[in-house]
Amino acid sequence: MKVICVAGYKNSGKTTLVTRLVEALSEHGKVGTVKQMLHHRFNPQDTDTGKHFDAGADLVAAITDTELVIIKRDPTLEDALNSLADNGADFAIVEGAKSSDLPKIFLGEPEVSDEISNILVKLPERSDWDFAPVVELILDQPEWVTLDSLIRKVRSNPDMRLSGGIATFTGIVRRINDNVETTAIDFEKYEGVADRAIEKICFDMKQKDNIIDVLIHHKTGLIRSGEDIVYIVVAAAHRQELFQTLIAALERIKEDVPIWKKEYTIEGDFWVHDKL
């Protein structure tokens, strides 16, 4: 899923730009949107869903003939984007969230005091924008990947009719290692080379008998204890080949993909290869 944030100040035309982008991107895939609405409540306390929520329900689902709304506690922008990816969105447009690190289209000029990061392009406020270069810019953004989005992609493979199962592996940051507590790991990859190495692993694995599809995603950047590092999804005709290929793909990632990691522990920080 490609993610872009439309940011700007009040009455700069953000909603108009978002709706126009939805129309333009719908020609390229399924579009989801996120509206950041601070200090606003969707289910007031005098509604049935509000009463459910205030009684202590952690999740409330409201269903009509045409809509489904999930209300959860302590929401984050990442939660919203993960939900869109899990539900098959190819694009996510976030309106607002100018303080986030997401790639941004900014309407007007940001104030210096705001220190807004990751602005890809500035557009004039409330204007007749040229959408062709903006769409190309969005198409060029990195993918926002979740495990469910990879499973959904595998399920869309026309050859899935031959599959008897899907197996997945999720690698996470281990908190306790040799009695030392790890707080986070920072992963850096050899740009381009690492991606090609992962593509080759997927290609090689799919040449095996009865393997329908293989997808791999390895995250980079700072990943905290307990958070996901890598996803592997394999679809195969039979369980024997399925689990063998899952393990083989994991070993190939360790051996072939140029990704380095710096580990942060309560006893100090170090590059893992330095420690070894």
Side-chain angles (χ1 to χ4, degrees):
M1 181 178 75
K2 308 290 187 178
V3 179
I4 194 71
C5 176
V6 174
Y9 300 110
K10 189 174 181 180
N11 296 323
S12 59
K14 296 189 298 296
T15 301
T16 300
L17 178 56
V18 169
T19 56
R20 297 280 302 278
L21 282 176
V22 169
E23 294 170 355
L25 290 172
S26 292
E27 298 180 4
H28 299 270
K30 188 175 179 181
V31 183
T33 66
V34 178
K35 170 69 174 180
Q36 191 172 57
M37 304 171 66
L38 301 179
H39 314 300
H40 180 87
R41 181 168 178 175
F42 286 110
N43 58 331
Q45 60 185 10
D46 59 346
T47 63
D48 290 344
T49 54
K51 293 174 182 177
H52 299 173
F53 199 67
D54 291 342
D58 292 304
L59 293 167
V60 175
I63 305 172
T64 71
D65 292 339
T66 58
E67 298 171 316
L68 165 66
V69 176
I70 303 293
I71 301 163
K72 74 180 293 289
R73 296 185 184 279
D74 304 318
T76 66
L77 182 55
E78 183 177 1
D79 290 338
L81 292 172
N82 286 343
S83 179
L84 293 183
D86 290 346
N87 282 279
D90 299 300
F91 303 95
I93 308 171
V94 179
E95 181 178 343
K98 65 177 181 288
S99 62
S100 72
D101 292 329
L102 295 174
K104 297 177 186 68
I105 300 169
F106 198 90
L107 293 173
E109 283 292 332
E111 296 178 3
V112 176
S113 59
D114 279 342
E115 297 182 350
I116 298 170
S117 66
N118 207 2
I119 296 177
L120 302 182
V121 63
K122 298 175 186 176
L123 296 179
E125 297 182 359
R126 309 182 69 82
S127 178
D128 186 16
W129 303 288
D130 181 4
F131 280 92
V134 176
V135 169
E136 288 300 318
L137 183 69
I138 296 171
L139 292 173
D140 195 43
Q141 294 309 300
E143 291 287 336
W144 183 287
V145 177
T146 64
L147 178 60
D148 282 353
S149 70
L150 292 181
I151 294 172
R152 181 181 287 270
K153 186 174 181 179
V154 166
R155 284 185 176 276
S156 70
N157 187 322
D159 291 332
M160 271 300 290
R161 66 188 187 279
L162 304 173
S163 177
I166 297 173
T168 71
F169 172 83
T170 301
I172 65 175
V173 176
R174 183 188 296 113
R175 181 175 178 181
I176 303 297
N177 189 22
D178 293 332
N179 295 319
V180 176
E181 181 175 345
T182 296
T183 58
I185 298 178
D186 194 3
F187 291 88
E188 293 185 5
K189 69 177 180 180
Y190 190 159
E191 287 292 341
V193 176
D195 294 332
R196 289 193 295 272
I198 288 176
E199 290 173 2
K200 186 175 188 308
I201 293 170
C202 292
F203 177 82
D204 291 346
M205 295 294 109
K206 285 188 285 187
Q207 306 314 303
K208 296 177 178 289
D209 291 340
N210 297 318
I211 299 302
I212 310 303
D213 208 348
V214 179
L215 292 178
I216 298 170
H217 176 72
H218 199 300
K219 296 183 179 182
T220 55
L222 190 69
I223 302 177
R224 302 191 182 282
S225 172
E227 294 181 344
D228 298 348
I229 303 169
V230 61
Y231 303 131
I232 307 173
V233 181
V234 179
H238 307 290
R239 63 181 181 275
Q240 291 86 357
E241 298 97 340
L242 183 66
F243 293 112
Q244 290 171 2
T245 301
L246 191 66
I247 295 171
L250 179 59
E251 295 305 317
R252 283 280 303 273
I253 292 172
K254 294 180 178 179
E255 295 173 2
D256 299 348
V257 181
I259 293 179
W260 300 275
K261 56 184 182 179
K262 184 176 185 179
E263 190 165 346
Y264 294 84
T265 77
I266 59 174
E267 295 184 358
D269 311 332
F270 55 86
W271 289 97
V272 172
H273 63 272
D274 291 340
K275 185 181 181 184
L276 298 177

